[in-house]
Amino acid sequence: MSDVRVLTASEVAAHASRDSCWIIVHGKVYDVTDFLDEHPGGSKIILKYAGKDATEAYEPIHPPDAITTNLPPSKHLGAIDESTLVKAVKEVTEDEKRRQALIAARPPLDNILNMHDFESVARMVLPDKAWAYYSSASDDEITLRENRMAYQRVWFRPRILRDVSSVDWSTTILGQKSSLPLYISATALGKLGHPEGELCLTRAAANHGVIQMIATLASCSFDDIIDAAAPGQTFFLQLYVNRDREITKKYVQHAERRGVKGLFITVDAPQLGRREKDMRMKFVDDDAGAEVQKGQDVKKDQGVARAISSFIDPSLSWRDIPWFRSITKMPIILKGIATGEDAVIAYEAGVQGIVLSNHGGRQLDTARSGLEVLVEVTAALRKRGYFPDPKFEIYVDGGVRRASDVLKAIALGAKAVGVGRPFLYAFCAYGQEGVERAIQLFRDEFEMNMRLLGARTIDEIVPEMVDASSLSAHTVLTPDDKLFSETYQPLSLAKFREA
Ligand code: 173
């Protein structure tokens, strides 16, 4: 358009109050006055940037088109005359200097030998807010830790003398080829931790034949991710269902047109869990206290995720499944099943699969691990003649750090597993190369573990290869995983103000 209005920085700066609030995002000027109270993250954060360029704060937590889809065109005021913008010289804090020094001193990538290494590097090099958001889990984080422990309560029964000179760990997931029996699970807000965000995953996945599940709340837009794909690259989509079903319908149908091969509907988050590490970080960051007590803008104490999750529809129910079936031909998978009962309902509802998941320990605390639920689910399905069924796939996620974990899940009936945080930490710490290294490490572990287990192909991994008899014995002392304990950061208590 040729009639785009061009505004100067001082014109914008004149609108820096609650009564008239303009902001600049990606070179465009918006009047957000009427939107202030509707902003899911609260008005205060917008007012902080009133009359100014908000791009840097906006970027990691909003898909690029969030502002254009939420504001009517009349509020799109025009373009900013970049020459009038005084680039704020950012003061580099001591913390930031320390962080930069740590980034420079990271272990060389070939010294990274497992997923725990990525996590420990990410913890050191991530901005505090990003680490708090990614690493946090709900309440006492018992489920987060249990997700690791559960794998240690399953033991192998390896078979010998089977000529394991060649082993093949490739498989199919929803009929799609996958070089490994795992997929990259959805994690939100990738740009909090790396400027290229989820594209690091996309490019690495392309080079290694791994399937990426795109998150509804990825920092990169859906189209940016698909545009970056290699020809024929496979994607799944994780879906948060909007209260406005038209938005969801459009989003799902757009994804299908762009070639997405599976719709993973998240069913364990009608409300987001309270992740106290994340919440506490917000408090510290916003220097809250006073105003919260006055009852204004209470939204800011929620942490990043809760602040942007208000669009999620808590009324979602089994009755909606036929509607999803009517809007898409993609396979439908329910992500977040936690009992045999619900697995049976899901099967009877005609979906193509389920993910046994507790959302990385971020939702209902003391929910059981997906691995433990798997045993219950296969038994419940089998009893009704629903398992095994090649048209109904079962996945597990949460706590997977080793190929041996994956092999245990497969032995107990999973088709594949989801891996979320380890790939996230890999790109936060080392970008695309980190993710490629992570995939390579999994591959090395698959080769060794399959040989040692006596399974040459995924089909040869059978229930008899594991002893899961103590899996649901929650009171039995479990071995402590030192690698995990080293990376696990304890919760902290409320801090006194500086006297
Ligand atoms: O686990 C999460 O943090 C998550 O799923 C989420 C949900 C809403 C907004 C951002 C992240």
Side-chain angles (χ1 to χ4, degrees), residues 229-262:
Q233 186 172 350
T234 306
F235 294 94
F236 299 146
L237 179 69
Q238 175 271 334
L239 182 72
Y240 272 125
V241 180
N242 200 299
R243 292 169 200 266
D244 179 344
R245 290 302 150 80
E246 277 308 302
I247 294 178
T248 289
K249 181 176 168 187
K250 262 201 213 150
Y251 185 60
V252 168
Q253 294 185 339
H254 178 69
E256 183 167 3
R257 275 197 301 276
R258 295 225 57 188
V260 166
K261 294 291 191 272

Side-chain angles (χ1 to χ4, degrees), residues 133 188-189 217 240 272 275 305 308-309 312 359 362:
Y133 168 63
L189 307 183
L217 289 160
Y240 272 125
L272 228 57
R275 296 108 185 226
I308 61 170
S309 63
I312 299 171
H359 208 119
R362 293 160 79 80

Side-chain angles (χ1 to χ4, degrees), residues 73-96:
S74 62
K75 305 291 179 187
H76 302 201
L77 302 180
I80 186 74
D81 177 350
E82 301 273 352
S83 69
T84 64
L85 272 181
V86 184
K87 292 268 175 261
V89 187
K90 270 231 324 245
E91 204 188 313
V92 184
T93 62
E94 284 307 310
D95 267 357
E96 183 57 19

Side-chain angles (χ1 to χ4, degrees), residues 156-169 407 411 445-466:
F156 281 125
R157 300 182 68 251
R159 302 301 301 272
I160 53 161
L161 295 176
R162 286 189 156 180
D163 182 0
V164 286
S165 31
S166 80
V167 282
D168 176 8
W169 47 89
L407 299 180
E445 289 189 1
F446 274 114
E447 178 175 48
M448 177 193 71
N449 283 304
M450 285 181 67
R451 284 210 168 105
L452 298 182
L453 191 57
R456 287 157 295 203
T457 62
I458 295 291
D459 286 341
E460 287 186 358
I461 304 167
V462 292
E464 292 74 20
M465 284 177 169
V466 292

Side-chain angles (χ1 to χ4, degrees), residues 278-331:
D278 190 27
M279 294 164 79
R280 243 181 250 297
M281 185 51 60
K282 249 335 228 188
F283 261 107
V284 174
D285 207 51
D286 281 353
D287 191 18
E291 266 188 274
V292 173
Q293 282 151 20
K294 272 192 258 148
Q296 293 173 359
D297 207 26
V298 286
K299 288 173 181 162
K300 74 174 161 214
D301 67 340
Q302 302 181 341
V304 177
R306 288 188 125 211
I308 61 170
S309 63
S310 56
F311 73 93
I312 299 171
D313 189 351
S315 81
L316 188 67
S317 84
W318 290 109
R319 287 191 303 275
D320 293 297
I321 305 296
W323 179 76
F324 284 106
R325 191 63 296 157
S326 76
I327 63 163
T328 181
K329 294 198 164 49
M330 285 187 277

